Amino acid sequence: MPSSSGDPAQTPDHKSTGGLAGVFKSLAGKARATQLSPLPFSSISTAPLQHLYGSPGASVAVYGSSSGFEELCEQLKPGRALADRLVAADALRLALADYPISSILRIWHGGRDLIQPANPLEARQTGFELLISCVKHAPSSTDLERKDFFDTLTAPLAPEDFYLQLAAVTELAKHGKDLSGFYYEIIPLLTRWLHSAFLAFEESRKAKSGSSKHGLGRAPPAEETNLHHLFDFIIDVIKFSFHVSTEEDTGRLISVVIEIAMSARFPSELGACVRVLDAIVTYGAIPSQNLPDCVKILCSIHCLVRDIRNQAWRTISNLCQSHNGHATIDILLDIIRHPQLERPSQVREIRGALSVLEKTAAENGENGFPLLPFSLLMDALDQLLTVEHAKVESDILKLLLAVFLDESDAVRQVVMEEDWALMFDVAARCSLRQSESVDSNALEPRVRAMSPLSIGASGDSSTSPAAFISQQLRRLITKVEELLEPATAADLLQKEECIAFFIRVHDHLPDSCAKLVIGYYAELRLCYPSDPEWRANIRLLIGAFLSVHSRPAQVRIQTLKAVTDVYEMAELMSQETDPDYVSDFVSSIIKDLAEENDIAVLHEIIAFAVRVAGNADQDVFELIMKELHHAVSNDQLQSLLSSPGSRHGSGSSAGPASTSSFDSPAVVPTPSNIITKGFIQIFMRAMHTSVERASRAFDAILWIARSSGCDTDARISAMKMLFRLRADWAYRIFLTPFTESEELAASLYRTAPSLAKKHAEDEASQQPSRVVRPDDPTLRTSRSASSGQLHTLSSKPVSRALSGVNRTLRHTHQMWMSPDPDALPEYITDKSSILLACLAEASDVTDKDRSSAHRVLKMNVWLETLIALLQQGSDWEIYSYILVHLASQLTNRALFRDSMTQINELRRLLCEQLKNNSFQEPPVSSGLRKADVAICLFHILTMLISYHEHFTKPEKDEIVRAFVQGVTTWERTAKCCIHALTICCHELPASMRVSLFSTLQKMSQIITQSHVAVHILEFLACLARLPDLYANFREEDYRIVFGISFRYIQYVRARSQDVKPTSNRLSNPAARHVSTPEQSSKAFMEPNLGENNLLPNASDELAQYVYALTYHVITFWFLALRLSDRAAQVSWIIKNLVWTDAAGTQQMDEQAEVIMDFIQRTAFANVDDTKANVDFTEERYGEILKRRWIVGQSIVTIEQASRSDWAQITKRQASATSHYMVHEQFERPPPHQMLNFAGDSRYSEANAVLPHYLLLQFGAVYLMRDTTRPIPLPDDEATKRAISIFDRISTIDGHKVGVIYIGIGQTQEIEILSNVAGSSDYTTFLSGLGNLTKLQGATFNTQGLDRQGNTDGEYTYCWRDRVTEIVFHVTTLMPTNLEIDPQCISKKQHIGNDFVNIIFNNSGQSYGSNTFPTDFNYVNIVITPETRASFVATRLRPEAPAQSLFYKVQVISKPGVPGISPAAETKIVSLQALPGFIRLLALNASVFSLVWANREGGEHVSSWRSRLRAIKRLRDQNHAKSSGGNKAGVSTASPPGTASSHPPEAVSKPRDSLIGSRRASVATYLTGTSDSPNDRSSKHLSSGDTYASGGGSGSGSGNMMDALDFSKWA
């Protein structure tokens, strides 16, 4: 039907896709079409008539009179010309509008033929306009007339005139309000018209779309307008006149409407259909036979067409509120109860029904809505699930929520009494669909034309069905969880159903809900055998929660605990019923271990596996070991595939580095590390119970340690256990909690204090750069071997080092630190295993242990692994861990008793790497240098000395040469190499003898390095007491030793004058600023950049100790000279002891004075102190006269028997007191000699002698100067008191040292002091430490031990040489009476006041420094057997030679006291060498402690110096000219720690560093030969020329030295 000219032009939507699929796409919101509103009938235009016949006003005259009306009627009749008829029709139409006309029927009959299809369009239009006007203006028409009108207008006409026909009928029916004359014909007519109009609409659209390149489109406006006007008319008819419609007519109309709805393509058509149905429901009734179809189509529209959803629901709600409400619900339930999948429209109907039921459920039976029957609904939904469709399942869950929850999201009360089992079953079955996003039956938008309602697409396509199901399910779960809260769960009848539901939908449970389920199972013990389904419940929990790796750790760990808590009971139950169940049970837990990445969960699983492995049968144990091994292997593969640095336990997940450089960031261990710790736990538990299992675990740990593909932190964990393995005396394995490696760890910044110190240094290094002293040959640009001058390093290496330090502290995580109390995953009992050994011949003292089957651990393989890592290099974390801990393990010689081949290979490797400088260099980021690595390697090599019995002589020599090389190769290795050489002196004397000369030469080159001076001097002091080593020394060899001491003295003197000692000659001393030797020695001991990380800060006390030790070395080595060679060295020694200060005055230190006094006594004799003749009394010799003089630096007492030729001379000097009996052999006078004595008649006999006589006979006193003549002492009480006090000053230095024995397992002070005996090796040690001496009646200084009543024991051990005496306070020799003295106060008062204690620690545990709390114990020398033995074992084991028993020795200083001993780091020494080595350590420690104890009140003055000062005081008191000064220009300088003899203005501060000093080699000028000792001296020590030539006014050449050099005239 063509549109009228008045219709607005409309263009179909070309973007719309063709066909019904495109229509539904529009309905779904994807391609909206513009809905065209129906055209009003007033738009029917008369434009064509106006165009043909002129304006309407032109014909007014025609019908303005009765005659005109008649003419028009005639003109209208059929048979007249068509044009005339049309003019007449138009004029009559206007007349009907303006005037009342009664002859309407005449007009009707005259013009009704104009609408016939045969007429032209314009004629038909005019005719319809005329007929419409007639209908409109014929209000009084009868029913017959109206029936005639109706029949005429509804007769078949041209299709294109349908809109005119519809307008006429609408006008006739007055829009449905007046159907008189055609009551029963209207509904059938409209039904037919509706069907025809829709067909015309569809055909028109198809025709339009056929010519469009865009496919199906909108219909032309005319057909669409006709259809919409028809729908409006039908609605009006139903609204006003539905009562005239029969049930059959209504049913047919509904059928057509439903058919149209099924075929509609746009929301406008569907909306019109819904409006018709709504009108029927509202104003009439839907026939029962049509109700199901109506419900289905309405439901489908409501669910799937978003734009008219509200209209559809309004219709459905009206239907539900009508008398058909319950029937509607039944229909809805029937739709979902009996799904017919063969029907294409079934899915849409189901979804529609679910959608409507959801809305109905929300009404909850209120507002006239029927209440949904819960049980029937659940049953229907249960049957509906046979439809496998994701969106249907999504809609089901929406419906369940609507039924279950009200508008406030609370559970409806009406369902609280219902059975929820079926509801949860439906929800659980819906949850099974997770991965599908679109149903497989869904069609794409561009498909063949069909109803959009058959597509089944959701109105909301933004969310996939699976995701939507998950959201709805989660919402349901959350509400059920709220019901299970403790406050409401008690009254909940459906609690069990809720838990069962949660288990079925476990994939959707939130973590809180999962915990609730697990807690429920644990609370009701559903996993215990008491529950019939306990096994199924265990499997259920494991599968639902533990095996789901996406679950958080807390949930999975809670599940694991709930399951594993029943393991022991399950094991007992299964032994009787199902032996394989335990294996299945364990396997279900650890089967996915290789894929487990959650560290917390992995830790718990490993803990369970470890617990099971301890008691399970062998098959289960093998299963666990296999799974653990597989997991580590899998982790290795992942580690290899991952990027470098992404693993090793310190990944980026740990977070950014801490702002504090030594605060370690949080670090996540790797899975391999957790599993490795599991292996360690298995080993630790099995080592006392199962040989096989412990051996298997050990092999696994060893495999991890040597596996290069394994994560670094796992390998370190393995090494933490392997390095703690030890063996006792019977070669049985145990684990020690103490690695004793803190000192080495500090050298690599692996302790908290060292790291903090390094951090502070790095902060300071950010200041302007300064010159850095190199310590590594690879970093030196140039260096003079002879002069020791250093050249400034280039800026590039310095910058590199500094940046590396910064990166270490700020960006590099250190995987291990020391101490590490949590190194092993379990507490270490250190109990020896009776099953594991390191030697096949291992045995115990009991029969039971002898019968035990030992398994030998592969310690040789472990050692081979370490050798390979040291040789090939490895990750720095691993390499550094080996460097620090290997030395400590090597002290346990029993552990490697069966690995001598590997020990020798390790020795060879270390010597080779140290010789060639080929060991691994630390990374730049570590802030370390190669010298730090060398220090650790030297410590390892030091421990290998104890295996010397398995080395050949050349191999021993190679060890010594390595240490000798290390003395000068790296400055920072000199200290540890010197200490090692000290051990070599005791353990490898033959090899040391060969290399001794080169050793001394190298030491002479570095004596001026502050950090090694004290160690060199202690080494020389040690060497002096080992005469076998230097038995073949020549004169030049001795001079090297003396030269080392003199070199240090000269350096201190040069520093005191602020002069660099570039040579032995001190040029132009008067031009230099002067400082005291004390100040210069302090400056010398200040730390510099050459010190290693272990050095304490230097102190004044340390400087005093080193300065005093230098003179002690001179003393010891002078005594070491053969008696015949001593005099030859006197002149040279004197030249180096006398020095000239800046003022030109010759000086001699107080220390030098007493040394000279001693040298004078011992240069020509090996004598001890003499004793006064007790028989020289007046009873035997008559009158004895006594006189005293100060002669030089001595007090001479002459006791003369006046009437005999006997006299006793006593010489008291600094180093000794000598007594001489002098018998002058007088010859009797001849008979002719006259006796002529005047004056005193008492001496009138032939030979009378006074004390003065002898004094004058031994010296030409009249030639002496006033300053050197004897000074007589008055015979008064003051002099006698001074002499008495002087005699009480010992001629030797006395020391007291405590000796304490700690028995097996002893840790408390009282039980230790209660010991009255020790082990056999302790007794052997004591016998070598000193001589057993009786105390009662002792004439020497017993250092506080009682010499009268044996209250401190009957005996003690003492030791003495020419200059030193040590009294040992041995606690086991002191009386013990716990009843009288329960606190052992008598013993404590001695050892508590001893500065130095020797601790023989046989407890098997580490010695605690606070065992004996006291303020005076500065140093403890701890001796520990390298292999522990029980008390019984020490008595029953075979006696071993002393050279085969070894002991660890460590000197532990009190906090704040510098550690300077050769054993400051642990050393290992044989029992044969132990007493002498310990005695040397104790002596040096005691000397230092005396210095340290007097650090606040002044200096420590030795006995010799005390005696010298007493002599000088007597001189000053009795010499009339003593206040005149030294006229010879000679003065005595103060040693370190005393006041300077120079005025303050002459003293200058020493330099802060020693970088620019020249280190001249003593060996370069001490090895020459000469014909005479004097000539040789002048050749070898050029500084002697300085002392000889002097420089001060008034001092002759060599004035003081010539006076002192007695060797020239003696």
Side-chain angles (χ1 to χ4, degrees), residues 501-539:
F501 167 63
F502 284 166
I503 287 293
R504 294 187 62 182
V505 296
H506 58 84
D507 288 341
H508 301 271
L509 293 183
D511 299 335
S512 58
C513 194
K515 293 178 182 178
L516 188 149
V517 174
I518 300 167
Y520 178 83
Y521 270 69
E523 178 184 0
L524 298 185
R525 302 173 70 87
L526 300 181
C527 295
Y528 281 76
S530 57
D531 189 280
E533 301 296 328
W534 66 280
R535 294 186 178 182
N537 292 338
I538 290 175
R539 289 193 300 270

Side-chain angles (χ1 to χ4, degrees), residues 1017-1019 1021-1022 1025 1105 1109 1112 1116 1396 1460 1462 1479-1489:
L1017 294 171
E1018 286 188 337
F1019 172 81
C1022 162
R1025 290 177 168 83
Y1105 169 64
L1109 186 60
H1112 285 186
F1116 299 151
V1396 181
I1460 57 174
R1479 185 171 55 246
L1480 175 64
L1481 296 181
L1483 177 59
N1484 292 338
S1486 181
V1487 172
F1488 173 75
S1489 297

